[in-house]
Amino acid sequence: MASIHVDIVSAEGAIFSGEADFVVAPASQGDVGIAPRHAPLLTELRPGPVRVQREGGDEQLFYVTGGLLEIQPSAVTVLADAALRPDQLDVDAADEARKKAEEALAGATEKSDIEKAQRDLAEASARHRALKRLRGTD
């Protein structure tokens, strides 16, 4: 079976590099499934999980806070703002961040404050949902 090379990197460094049979990433307009020989694409990422399916059905999961996704027929590169493995995610911290973002949005009056609070809430909610999904508690 054909495979596609996957690199997941962030400012902190490389998170994953290897071959995959299929990748699912949270593109800005919806999740995108990527198989070998996929058409070239460059798109923004929204916060959420990246699933890397390897030979034999083994699946590795990562959480990204946003960034860019570059797809070439033989390679996928995730340039994440931040990327974490499931064991690096803290459910209590994710829940607390979501609650703080909700409070900030409720108290915001200026347009710029509202927009920032909405972005923070979207990221915190995505992190919370991803953590639950990654840990199998959803």
Side-chain angles (χ1 to χ4, degrees):
M1 177 179 223
S3 65
I4 190 164
H5 185 79
V6 180
D7 286 312
I8 301 175
V9 297
S10 71
E12 292 84 29
I15 303 297
F16 175 84
S17 183
E19 299 299 311
D21 293 337
F22 194 71
V23 177
V24 178
S28 60
Q29 299 300 309
D31 288 355
V32 61
I34 307 153
R37 296 182 292 283
H38 192 288
L41 174 70
L42 179 64
T43 186
E44 289 184 29
L45 290 169
R46 68 181 195 284
V50 174
R51 295 188 344 242
V52 178
Q53 296 176 352
R54 304 187 74 181
E55 188 175 344
D58 176 39
E59 183 174 84
Q60 290 190 271
L61 298 163
F62 306 90
Y63 175 79
V64 297
T65 61
L68 294 174
L69 172 67
E70 178 187 17
I71 304 170
Q72 294 296 325
S74 62
V76 173
T77 304
V78 174
L79 301 170
D81 296 334
L84 302 168
R85 297 177 184 279
D87 61 347
Q88 294 173 308
L89 292 170
D90 179 348
V91 70
D92 294 330
D95 193 41
E96 184 64 28
R98 186 175 51 84
K99 288 177 184 174
K100 284 184 180 181
E102 288 170 346
E103 291 169 4
L105 182 58
T109 56
E110 297 292 322
K111 182 179 179 182
S112 61
D113 293 337
I114 292 170
E115 290 171 350
K116 181 183 181 323
Q118 288 173 330
R119 283 190 308 273
D120 291 348
L121 179 57
E123 196 279 325
S125 295
R127 184 180 291 226
H128 190 260
R129 279 191 312 275
L131 177 57
K132 289 176 73 172
R133 185 179 308 142
L134 295 174
R135 296 256 171 106
T137 58
D138 190 26

